[in-house]
Amino acid sequence: MMDIHQILKQLPHRYPILLVDRVLEVEKGKSIKALKNVSINEPQFTGHFPHRPVFPGVLILEAMAQTAALLAFETLGVTPDDKTVYYFAGIDGARFKRPVEPGDQLIMDVTLDRMKAGIFKFKGITRVAGEVACEAELMCTMRTIA
C-alpha cells in the first residue's frame, strides 16, 4: 500500500496531472492496484463537457500509465530522480466500456507482462463500481535526461 505522500516521492506529476491517489496493493514484478477519486472540481470538467461532465478517456489511460510507473519503480527498487523520466511508448487495444463521471472512483489494475531492454509492457483494466471502464495494453520506458 502507498499513500499520496509516498506516491509524490515516486512520481514527478503534480496537480492537475497527478492521477493516482492511493495504491491499494502491489506485488513486486507482477501487479498493482491503485485508485483515483474523480472530483467535479477537476479542471477538465469545465470543457468536457459543461452540460454532462465526462472524465476524458486519455486521462484514464494516463492514470493507468502512472500506476504502471509505480509498479515499474517498485519492481526495479528505484526512486526516480530529477534526471529520470518515465515515458509512454505505446498504447494498444484501448477500449472504453463506460463513461466515467464526477463522483466515480477509478480502480486501476495493472499487470506487468514483460520487461526487456528498458521497455515495459503492461496490461491495464480500470473499473468503476466493479464495471470495466477501460482496458488497454501499455508500453513505457525510462530514460535519463541531461
Side-chain angles (χ1 to χ4, degrees):
M1 190 155 149
M2 232 184 256
D3 65 19
I4 191 63
H5 305 290
Q6 294 163 304
I7 292 167
L8 288 168
K9 289 178 185 172
Q10 292 290 81
L11 295 179
H13 308 78
R14 295 297 179 261
Y15 179 84
I17 202 64
L18 178 62
L19 300 172
V20 180
D21 292 327
R22 181 174 299 275
V23 172
L24 303 171
E25 301 169 13
V26 63
E27 189 174 349
K28 187 176 182 174
K30 294 191 179 184
S31 63
I32 189 169
K33 180 182 279 197
L35 72 84
K36 191 254 182 294
N37 294 305
V38 179
S39 169
I40 189 64
N41 296 322
E42 295 180 50
Q44 62 272 10
F45 291 128
T46 59
H48 196 266
F49 302 99
H51 63 286
R52 178 73 180 201
V54 175
F55 196 71
V58 69
L59 293 182
I60 298 170
L61 293 168
E62 175 64 25
M64 282 197 288
Q66 289 177 23
T67 301
L70 292 167
L71 176 57
F73 300 148
E74 181 72 21
T75 297
L76 296 173
V78 299
T79 298
D81 58 24
D82 290 344
K83 295 186 187 223
T84 305
V85 180
Y86 191 78
Y87 290 116
F88 243 141
I91 304 168
D92 292 317
R95 297 289 178 265
F96 302 95
K97 308 285 187 172
R98 78 180 294 285
V100 174
E101 300 174 321
D104 286 344
Q105 186 176 71
L106 299 177
I107 302 294
M108 284 99 46
D109 285 299
V110 176
T111 56
L112 177 61
D113 269 358
R114 71 173 185 213
M115 181 174 54
K116 185 177 179 183
I119 303 287
F120 296 82
K121 189 166 185 180
F122 303 93
K123 283 191 179 160
I125 298 177
T126 297
R127 292 179 179 85
V128 172
E131 290 180 52
V132 174
C134 178
E135 53 191 4
E137 294 177 358
L138 312 169
M139 289 190 327
C140 305
T141 187
M142 277 191 288
R143 295 287 184 247
T144 302
I145 56 173

